[in-house]
Each structure stands twice: as C-alpha cells, then as structure tokens.
Amino acid sequence: MKKKLVALTGAGVSAESGIKTFRDSGGLWEEYDVMDVASIEGWRRNPQLVQQFYNVRRRELATVQPNKAHEILASLEKFFDVEIITQNVDNLHERAGSTNIVHLHGELTKARSSVNPNIVGEIGYRAIEHGEKAADGSILRPHIVWFGEAVPMIETAAKKMQQSDIVVIIGTSLNVYPAAGLVDYAPPGVPVYLIDPNEVNYHGRKINFIRKKASEGMEILFQTLVEQKK
Ligand code: OAD
C-alpha cells in the first residue's frame, strides 16, 4: 500500500506562476485592505468592490499556468497516496493533474448563492456581473470563504492530516487559522517538510525546512522521497 502524503499549500506554491501572494512585500494585502475585499463585513458594505476584486483574480487565473512545484506534486501520485489541502482559490493543482484536492478557502472558478452555500455552480474564468442572481434568486457571490465565515472543509482536512504518513507544507505563512493549525493533527513522528524561501513562524513539532522557492524545493523533496529510495 502506498504511504499517504498530505500537502498543505498556500499562495507561495503559485507565486512562480505569476500569482501574487498576500503577505509578502508587494503582496495583495499591501494593495488592498483585506477586510474590504475578503471579509463578510466587506461584502455587506460594498459587494461591488468585492466582486470586482475576485473578477480580476479570476481573469488573471485564465492567463497563468501551473509551475514545476504543482507538476512535481502531481507526479508524486505515482509513488504516494497524495492528498492536497490548499488554501489557494486558484485551480493550478487541478490543472497540473493532481486528483485529490481539498480547497479550504473556496474556488475562484465557482460562484454560489449568497444565502445557501450548497447552491454552487461552475463559472469558469468569467466575471460575475453586478446584480447577477443565483438559482435561488439571491445575489450570486464568489465561492470564497471570507474572514468572518466558517471553514466548512476543515474537518475533512483535519481527518486527512490524522491519516498522514508524510506532511509537506509549501508556501504558506501559517498566519490564518484554522488552516495553520492543521499540521498539529498529524500523528506524532510523522516527518514534516516545509518548503518556503523565507523563515516561517511555526513553533510546533520538529520540521525539515527546505528554504527554497516552491519549484526548487519540490525538486529537492522529490529527490529525498523518491530518487534516494530507488
Ligand atoms: P501568505 O501570503 O500569507 O504567505 C505566502 C508564503 O509563501 C510566505 O511564507 C512566503 O514566504 C512564501 N513564498 C513566497 N514566494 C514563494 C515561492 N516562490 N515559493 C514558495 N513559497 C513562497 O499566503 P497564505 O499563507 O497562503 O485567505 O495565506 C493564507 C490565506 O490568507 C489565504 O488563503 C487568503 C489570505 O488572506 C483568504 O483570502 C480567505
């Protein structure tokens, strides 16, 4: 039986594809106030601004490609039972060929009812027009989990962590909870690799820190987990 490799990914895994991270210098939260564009209060205050923010993100997503890090992670499915838990709302893991992906914070290419979170549909890369309605007649909103909202997939993600044999954390500052607490669910003794070009504020268990960008870090990890075992 293949070992279960659980990867927790954040904005940094998509940085080399040309998608801005949030908290780095030049990141999105320098340009926008997070509470204006990514919170439920922001949506209630100014839904047009929020729609516009995600319409731009969606349009950009159509123009970028998965990078080497997404591709190596997808190729690891030959050797491991890979489960990806991503905080990203892009679809680059899917487009690289990964098959088991939990989107903790939603997906850009979907829209949903603003009243019933279970009424969700594909919209691809198109804009949501102002005043557009969902199937239940409510305002159509981005399928994004905003600050101030529950994270419906967190229990599914925690269960996957509990079953992990290997954990890999890629490109997340581990600032946002509950996602940042997921690593603590991994059984004791499970090796944890962390790939990030910058120091990450993590004070849990012992980690194997690969201080590289995602693509180079994933090449090193592939060597460590696969090549050296041959
Ligand atoms: P952050 O922007 O907080 O962190 C990005 C991480 O990626 C940092 O640790 C960087 O050092 C690292 N990084 C930058 N370039 C990289 C590269 N080329 N390769 C690898 N790592 C790189 O993004 P997240 O931790 O994903 O939520 O943010 C978590 C959540 O906060 C997001 O899902 C979003 C945001 O607010 C919502 O909007 C609900």
Side-chain angles (χ1 to χ4, degrees):
M1 221 172 66
K2 288 177 183 168
K3 285 189 173 176
K4 190 183 276 291
L5 184 153
V6 176
L8 174 66
T9 69
V13 76
S14 299
E16 289 163 88
S17 294
I19 298 180
K20 280 185 180 174
T21 62
F22 298 98
R23 295 177 183 78
D24 288 298
S25 132
L28 281 170
W29 297 157
E30 248 175 37
E31 210 175 320
Y32 298 88
D33 183 331
V34 51
M35 294 320 259
D36 283 344
V37 297
S39 77
I40 188 67
E41 295 88 353
W43 167 254
R44 290 193 183 122
R45 239 184 353 253
N46 190 346
Q48 255 176 297
L49 176 74
V50 177
Q51 292 286 24
Q52 191 196 353
F53 176 78
Y54 288 101
N55 284 344
V56 172
R57 308 272 82 72
R58 207 176 293 112
R59 194 169 65 222
E60 275 176 9
L61 181 56
T63 68
V64 303
Q65 302 299 329
N67 65 56
K68 198 95 206 170
H70 300 103
E71 284 163 9
I72 295 174
L73 197 50
S75 76
L76 281 173
E77 290 192 11
K78 279 193 235 106
F79 308 95
F80 299 95
D81 173 10
V82 178
E83 302 268 5
I84 299 176
I85 302 168
T86 188
Q87 297 165 84
N88 297 345
V89 296
D90 67 48
N91 58 2
L92 297 181
H93 286 305
E94 284 86 346
R95 281 159 58 192
S98 286
T99 55
N100 301 313
I101 306 158
V102 171
H103 281 274
L104 281 178
H105 295 162
E107 293 171 75
L108 270 178
T109 54
K110 292 181 178 167
R112 72 159 172 93
S113 150
S114 46
V115 177
N116 182 348
N118 297 318
I119 302 179
V120 185
E122 295 283 342
I123 52 161
Y125 300 107
R126 74 167 179 84
I128 302 178
E129 302 299 338
H130 180 57
E132 210 178 322
K133 299 265 170 40
D136 61 356
S138 73
I139 297 287
L140 192 66
R141 60 164 267 187
H143 180 52
I144 304 286
V145 176
W146 287 318
F147 287 98
E149 296 190 303
V151 181
M153 294 307 286
I154 197 69
E155 278 185 28
T156 307
K159 280 201 189 101
K160 289 180 191 294
M161 269 298 174
Q162 281 169 338
Q163 293 160 359
S164 63
D165 299 304
I166 300 167
V167 172
V168 185
I169 307 167
I170 314 162
T172 170
S173 63
L174 294 174
N175 266 302
V176 175
Y177 284 81
L182 279 171
V183 189
D184 299 338
Y185 286 88
V190 161
V192 180
Y193 296 88
L194 190 152
I195 300 172
D196 203 296
N198 301 307
E199 205 63 59
V200 174
N201 193 14
Y202 177 69
H203 298 292
R205 64 184 72 210
K206 179 176 163 288
I207 49 164
N208 303 291
F209 185 21
I210 303 174
R211 192 168 181 169
K212 299 281 180 199
K213 288 185 175 177
S215 57
E216 198 186 341
M218 282 303 291
E219 276 170 17
I220 294 168
L221 184 79
F222 189 88
Q223 288 277 334
T224 311
L225 296 180
V226 179
E227 298 290 341
Q228 288 171 10
K229 299 275 183 291
K230 279 183 183 165

